[in-house]
Amino acid sequence: MAYQALYRQWRPKDFSSMVAQEAVISTLRNQVMSGRVAHAYLFCGSRGTGKTSTAKILARAINCEHPVNGDPCGQCESCRRLLADESMDVMEIDAASNNGVEEIRNLRETVKYPPQQGKYKVYIIDEVHMLSTSAFNALLKTLEEPPAYVVFILATTEPQKLPATILSRCQRFDFGRIPAHQIAGRLRQAAEGAKAEASENALMLIARAAEGGMRDALSILDMCLGYSNQVTEDLVRNVLGTSDRSFLFRFADALEKEDASAVMRMIDELMRAGREPMVFAKDVSQHLRALLIAKCSPDDLSALLDLTQEDAQEYAQQAEKFTTTRLMNMLELFMRVETDLRWASSPRIVLE
């Protein structure tokens, strides 16, 4: 059997196995249990936060013959058919590649036919902001007054691109970025499931690099497991191409002392190790942000950055060497360098 990527293996099958999004999940559960199912939903949020997974779970839950506390039972005929992608009652449409008015007209034609087996016919339209203006207009009337057995679930990363006429016809749910410690918890389960060993620091490093997206985190872990079943902090840094914390602390010390020679040597060390200037500039920006937070809000540092008390203390000690104004100026410069590096023919020179 072909290998299946971790993010597909660990896609939640019910609301109970979802990570974070507690308010959204609680509301949807109650709607399923009370039978107050809306005819149109809009799921908004950044990538990898669970929009499509939640849409699929909701589609199964409202068609389930014996839902358990709002969760699909997974045992009935409807659940089994939907899990095996054998049912025509749930249709998943990629709006990025089906964004024309003709596709929406075809959808309006199929809406007329009732579900084959379940109670509802569900249309999941992913990346709905990619639809053309004429396609949105063609969808309006059907979205406002669909047949009683039809439910639309629209998912998008860019709700600001949707017309107000679409937004006003949907129940909107906003999916927040997943906290790093919750991502690390799911990564631990995935690593154990793959019979691999992973250190806590390595998992937290992956979780922070994913920036709130579970799919990104599982993909990074998948790459690490492709190298070794022992996932260490060094392995994760090699896969991500990032610099370790000790290097960033040494680099910040060299900047504080205005030691240009040391800075040049360290950049040379980076380049010889095959690191990307863009990634390094981003790492330095994040390090300077941490120092700035240590300067402005030392008591909240460990909570804000998901750090241990020992790590927070290290940042606080280095932050004492800088003034707030200097840290602000340095952060502004490195953030500007990130932009400049995108268009540079010689990234190393820009960084230096």
Side-chain angles (χ1 to χ4, degrees):
M1 186 178 173
Y3 176 73
Q4 194 175 44
L6 281 181
Y7 75 84
R8 292 180 64 193
Q9 291 178 37
W10 287 88
R11 186 184 283 274
K13 301 265 191 313
D14 52 40
F15 290 130
S16 303
S17 55
M18 287 288 295
V19 176
Q21 320 307 348
E22 289 84 1
V24 174
I25 299 307
S26 175
T27 306
L28 294 176
R29 270 183 193 276
N30 289 334
Q31 289 191 358
V32 173
M33 288 189 287
S34 64
R36 298 172 64 90
V37 179
H39 67 272
Y41 294 89
L42 176 64
F43 293 168
C44 313
S46 57
R47 68 186 189 280
T49 49
K51 302 182 296 299
T52 307
S53 295
T54 304
K56 289 181 175 181
I57 295 167
L58 179 61
R60 288 200 297 274
I62 60 179
N63 277 314
C64 181
E65 295 168 20
H66 314 290
V68 182
N69 295 326
D71 271 332
C73 68
Q75 304 298 320
C76 67
E77 182 67 19
S78 175
C79 283
R80 287 203 301 270
R81 285 172 67 89
L82 287 170
L83 280 169
D85 289 327
E86 294 174 355
S87 174
M88 295 296 289
D89 291 346
V90 176
M91 299 185 69
E92 194 171 349
I93 300 160
D94 173 26
S97 51
N98 299 281
N99 59 359
V101 68
E102 200 56 47
E103 284 88 349
I104 298 302
R105 285 185 184 140
N106 292 338
L107 183 150
R108 284 168 55 190
E109 288 300 313
T110 64
V111 162
K112 298 174 185 175
Y113 304 108
Q116 291 178 330
Q117 185 180 23
K119 291 174 281 187
Y120 293 96
K121 195 169 188 177
V122 185
Y123 291 88
I124 301 171
I125 307 180
D126 215 353
E127 301 301 338
V128 71
H129 63 273
M130 299 291 282
L131 289 180
S132 64
T133 304
S134 53
F136 274 126
N137 290 333
L139 185 62
L140 279 178
K141 193 62 181 173
T142 309
L143 196 64
E144 185 175 28
E145 296 176 1
Y149 51 77
V150 169
V151 174
F152 285 100
I153 306 177
L154 315 181
T156 179
T157 52
E158 301 184 52
Q160 72 278 4
K161 291 186 177 179
L162 269 61
T165 47
I166 294 287
L167 293 170
S168 65
R169 286 164 167 79
C170 303
Q171 282 193 12
R172 175 172 172 167
F173 292 88
D174 288 287
F175 287 65
R177 291 180 185 272
I178 304 170
H181 68 276
Q182 288 184 294
I183 292 178
R186 177 52 59 89
L187 291 176
R188 196 174 302 111
Q189 292 176 351
E192 288 168 2
K195 295 181 172 55
E197 291 183 20
S199 71
E200 290 299 314
N201 286 343
L203 295 179
M204 279 305 294
L205 187 58
I206 293 172
R208 285 196 287 267
E211 297 180 344
M214 184 64 77
R215 183 171 58 240
D216 286 5
L218 287 166
S219 294
I220 295 168
L221 179 61
D222 222 348
M223 286 192 289
C224 293
L225 292 176
Y227 279 83
S228 168
N229 267 8
Q230 302 282 332
V231 182
T232 63
E233 206 170 345
D234 286 341
L235 174 59
V236 175
R237 290 192 190 282
N238 284 334
V239 168
L240 293 173
T242 56
S243 306
D244 61 36
R245 281 180 53 255
S246 63
F247 187 92
L248 290 168
F249 274 101
R250 286 193 292 121
F251 192 80
D253 278 336
L255 291 177
E256 187 270 328
K257 294 171 184 168
E258 298 183 6
D259 188 344
S261 175
V263 166
M264 287 299 187
R265 283 198 304 273
M266 291 175 80
I267 291 176
D268 183 65
E269 186 182 329
L270 275 175
M271 296 301 104
R272 290 179 187 278
R275 298 287 187 260
E276 283 293 325
M278 168 77 83
V279 176
F280 179 64
K282 186 177 177 182
D283 288 344
V284 176
S285 295
Q286 290 173 339
H287 185 81
L288 293 172
R289 171 180 173 262
L291 294 178
L292 202 51
I293 293 172
K295 197 81 174 168
C296 304
S297 187
D299 295 337
D300 303 322
L301 183 60
S302 57
L304 287 171
L305 297 179
D306 286 311
L307 298 171
T308 62
Q309 285 296 335
E310 293 77 11
D311 291 342
Q313 186 62 35
E314 197 174 356
Y315 279 109
Q317 287 172 356
Q318 189 169 60
E320 289 174 6
K321 301 174 184 176
F322 295 90
T323 64
T324 303
T325 306
R326 188 174 178 197
L327 283 172
M328 289 284 284
N329 289 337
M330 290 165 71
L331 182 56
E332 187 179 346
L333 282 166
F334 270 96
M335 289 178 71
R336 201 183 306 155
V337 163
E338 280 185 57
T339 306
D340 293 343
L341 284 168
R342 292 171 201 258
W343 317 109
S345 57
S346 302
R348 175 172 180 166
I349 297 174
V350 175
L351 179 60
E352 289 175 341

